[in-house]
Amino acid sequence: MTENVIIALGCLGAMFVLIYVGMHVAVVLGGVSLIGVWLIRGDFVIASNLLAQAASDAIASHVFGIVPLFVLMGFLVAVADVGRDAFEVAHQVFRRIRGGLGIATVAANAVFAAITGISIASAAVFTRVAVPEMLRFNYTPRFAVGVVAGSSVLGMLIPPSLLMIVYGFLSSESIGAMFVAGIVPGMLLALIYAAGILAMAHFWPSFVGGRFDEGDTPLMGVGTMFVKLVPSIVLILLCLGGIYAGFFTPTEGGAVGAAGALVIALLRRRLSGTGLWKVLLETGHVTVSVSFLIICANIFSRMLAMSGTPQFLIQTINEAGLGQYGFLVIYLLIVIALGTIIDSISIMLICLPLVLPIAEGFGMNLIWFGIVTIVAVEIGLLTPPFGLSVYVVKSTLNDPRVSLGEIFKGSAPFVVMMLIVLTLLVAFPQLSLMLLK
Amino acid sequence: MAERFDTDTGEGQTSSPDGYNEPQALGFHRLTGAMNAIGTGWIFVIMILMTADVLGRNLFNTPIRGVIEIVTLSIVSVVFIQLADTLRTGKFTRADAFLGAVLLRNPAAGRFLQGVFHLAGAGLLATLCAASWPLLVESWQNGEYLGAIGDFQAPVWIMRAVIVFGSACTTLTFLFLAFADFRAAFAVKGRR
C-alpha cells in the first residue's frame, strides 16, 4: 500500500464520517478531495486549480442540459394530473381483483414512471391520488402508504430516470442505452410487485385489508378511459419514442418532453403563471444541487485516479481470490447499507469513481452494472432511518395518525421484493441487456 | 437530489429551526433571489430553444445555429447563478438523520455544529472563487470562443465570470448562515 493510497482511503473514511454527521455532501466531496490532492501533490495551488477546472469543465457539455430538462418534465407532469388519470383507469381495470387498488397503484406508477425521471415526484403524486382512495375502500393505512412508497421507486427505474442520467455521466456510457436497458428490469419489478400484492391479499389479508368496489364509483366507458390515457401515451411517444427512433438525443428528448408536458398542463388548465414559476424554481434548485454534487464528485474521482487507489483495490481483490461475483455482492451490500443514511445520487457519486474501474477491470458490462447499481441504490429510498420516498409520503400526507414507522413497515414487503429483483438482475444480465443491439 | 421536496403541506412554514430560508443581512437574499430567478428563467429559455431546434431540424430542415454552444455554456452558468439561493433555501443535499436528532435534542450544540459545517463550505467556495479568477482573466484576454469560426460563436468569459461571481455570493451566503448559527447557538445557551 503506497502512501497515496493511504491518503485516499483516509479521505474516503473522513467523507463517510462527515456526511453522516450532516455536513453538506457536496462540501464534503469537494473539500476533502481538495485536501487529498493537496497532500498527494504537496501543493495547494495545484489542488485549487484542479477544483477550478472541475467547476468549469465537469458539466460544460450540452449533454448536461438533460438534468434540468427531465427534472422540469417530471415536475410538470406531476401538476398536470396525468398520474391521477392513469390511476383512475387502472382502478377500473383491476376492480375485480383482490388487492386490486394496490395493483392499480403499481400499474399507474409504471405508466407515470415512463414520463417522469424522479421518484420524489411519483411519491408525492400518488400519495395525494391513491392513498385516499385505498383508505375509502378499507385498505389498511399501513398497506396504502407502503404501496405508494414502494412503487415510487419505479419512477427512477423505468426510463427516463435521473439516476440513469447521473450514471451515464459518471461511467461515460450512453444515456440512451441506459434508458433502453432499464425497460425490462422496470417491468419486471412492477410485475413482481403486482404478484406480491396479489399473494399478500390472499395469504395475509390483515396486512392488506380492502374491499371490492360495488358500484361506489361509476364505471367509465372505453372511450373515456382512452381519453384519460391520451396525455400519457402522447408524452411517452413524444419523448422516449423520439429518443429510441433517433429523431433526437436524450437531452433534446428532455426539452421536447418538458415542452409537451407544459402544453398538456396548460391545455387542461392545471397550471397558472405562478404555478409555472414555482415549478421552474423547484427545477432550478434540484438541478443546482445535483450539478454541484457532480462538480464536487469530479475532483473526487480525479483525486482517486491520482492516488492509484482503484488499481490497489483490484490487486487486493485478486489476491483475496474474491472473483467478480464476490466483489459484486460486497459492493451491493455496501450500497444498500449506505442507502439507509445517504441519498441515492450521493451514494453513486461516492462509490462509482472507486468501483467503476474495478468493474471494468473484471470485464463486466457497465450498462448492466449500472442497472444493478440503480436498483440497489433505490432500495435506500425505502429503508430507515433515512428513506427519501418514505419522507416524501409522510410530508405529503401530513396526517399525524400515520407515523414514519408505519410507512417504513408498510414498505418492508416491497424492499423484500426489490431484493428478489436485484438477485434476478445479477444472476441474469440478459434481463438488462436483451433490448440492446 | 431535493432532500426537502416542497409539498405545500405544513413543513417549513414555521420559523425554521435550522436557520434556512431566512432573510439575510443587507438584503443579500434579494440579490441571490434575483440571480436565482434569472437562472430559473434561463432553463425555460433553453427548453424552448432546444424544442425549436428539434422541430426546425426534423420538420422544416432548418436547425437553429448555436444551440449546442449556448446550452454548453448555459448549464454551468445556470448552476452557479442559482447556487447561493439554493443554499439559502436549504436545498443543498445532506444526510439529516444525525444532525436532525442533535438539533432536536440539543439545539445549541446542533446549531454550533451546523455553523462549523457552513464555515467549511465558505472555505471551499472561497478557494474555488479565488482559483477561478485567473481562468476568467485568461479567457477574457485571449478572447476564447466556443463554436466554429464563421458559424455561431459563444464567448467563454461569460461563463467564467458567472462562476467567479456565483461562488463569491455562495461564500458570503455560507458566512451569513454560519454567523446566524453561532448567534443562535449562544443565544439558546444564554437562555438556559
Side-chain angles (χ1 to χ4, degrees), chain B residues 87-153:
Chain B
L87 171 65
R88 189 189 67 84
T89 47
K91 297 278 165 57
F92 262 42
T93 305
R94 68 176 185 189
D96 276 331
F98 177 81
L99 187 60
V102 177
L103 277 170
L104 208 65
R105 277 183 211 140
N106 187 343
R111 288 304 288 272
F112 185 82
L113 193 60
Q114 192 173 273
V116 174
F117 294 163
H118 283 144
L119 279 186
L124 178 69
L125 267 296
T127 308
L128 174 59
C129 182
S132 298
W133 174 255
L135 295 176
L136 167 62
V137 174
E138 196 183 86
S139 64
W140 170 261
Q141 283 170 348
N142 298 349
E144 204 181 324
Y145 283 87
L146 203 71
I149 295 173
D151 200 1
F152 184 89
Q153 287 184 304

Side-chain angles (χ1 to χ4, degrees), chain A residues 143-343:
Chain A
F143 174 77
V145 290
V147 175
V148 169
S151 52
S152 73
V153 305
L154 291 170
M156 290 206 283
L157 185 56
I158 295 177
S161 150
L162 188 57
L163 292 182
M164 288 177 191
I165 291 170
V166 170
Y167 183 84
F169 289 137
L170 292 170
S171 65
S172 313
E173 291 294 327
S174 126
I175 292 169
M178 287 300 294
F179 279 7
V180 175
I183 297 175
V184 175
M187 299 291 195
L188 180 69
L189 183 61
L191 282 178
I192 291 202
Y193 275 177
I197 291 170
L198 211 55
M200 287 192 291
H202 274 272
F203 299 114
W204 194 10
S206 62
F207 176 75
V208 177
R211 63 176 171 86
F212 288 113
D213 186 340
E214 284 142 354
D216 305 42
T217 325
L219 286 184
M220 295 176 277
V222 178
T224 320
M225 286 165 74
F226 181 72
V227 169
K228 281 189 180 286
L229 285 182
V230 163
S232 316
I233 296 170
V234 166
L235 276 179
I236 293 172
L237 288 180
L238 200 64
C239 173
L240 291 181
I243 297 172
Y244 294 150
F247 287 137
F248 37 71
T249 64
T251 309
E252 290 164 341
V256 173
L262 177 65
V263 170
I264 288 173
L266 288 177
L267 282 180
R268 312 180 99 197
R269 301 181 186 284
R270 290 293 189 279
L271 199 60
S272 59
T274 45
L276 176 62
W277 187 244
K278 269 185 80 178
V279 164
L280 281 168
L281 282 177
E282 194 71 25
T283 303
H285 284 150
V286 173
T287 305
V288 170
S289 78
V290 171
S291 306
F292 193 58
L293 270 172
I294 293 178
I295 289 173
C296 291
N298 182 278
I299 175 171
F300 171 54
S301 64
R302 288 184 201 213
M303 189 269 283
L304 281 179
M306 204 178 272
S307 69
T309 307
Q311 290 87 328
F312 165 76
L313 285 180
I314 292 173
Q315 208 183 337
T316 313
I317 290 169
N318 280 333
E319 278 164 15
L322 271 176
Q324 56 169 317
Y325 279 98
F327 152 70
L328 192 61
V329 169
I330 293 176
Y331 161 66
L332 292 176
L333 288 177
I334 291 176
V335 166
I336 293 171
L338 285 177
T340 60
I341 46 167
I342 313 177
D343 74 287

Side-chain angles (χ1 to χ4, degrees), chain A residues 45-131:
Chain A
V45 177
I46 292 181
S48 66
N49 283 343
L50 209 61
L51 180 66
Q53 282 295 335
S56 63
D57 295 350
I59 60 170
S61 154
H62 81 286
V63 179
F64 240 91
I66 197 168
V67 175
L69 294 173
F70 271 108
V71 172
L72 177 59
M73 180 182 175
F75 284 132
L76 281 173
V77 292
V79 297
D81 266 356
V82 180
R84 179 185 299 274
D85 288 346
F87 178 73
E88 281 171 4
V89 172
H91 182 181
Q92 181 162 335
V93 170
F94 294 108
R95 71 186 184 284
R96 304 226 177 278
I97 298 175
R98 206 176 286 179
L101 263 185
I103 297 176
T105 306
V106 172
N109 243 308
V111 173
F112 192 67
I115 49 177
T116 186
I118 32 182
S119 288
I120 46 172
S122 300
V125 164
F126 286 96
T127 304
R128 289 200 198 97
V129 173
V131 172

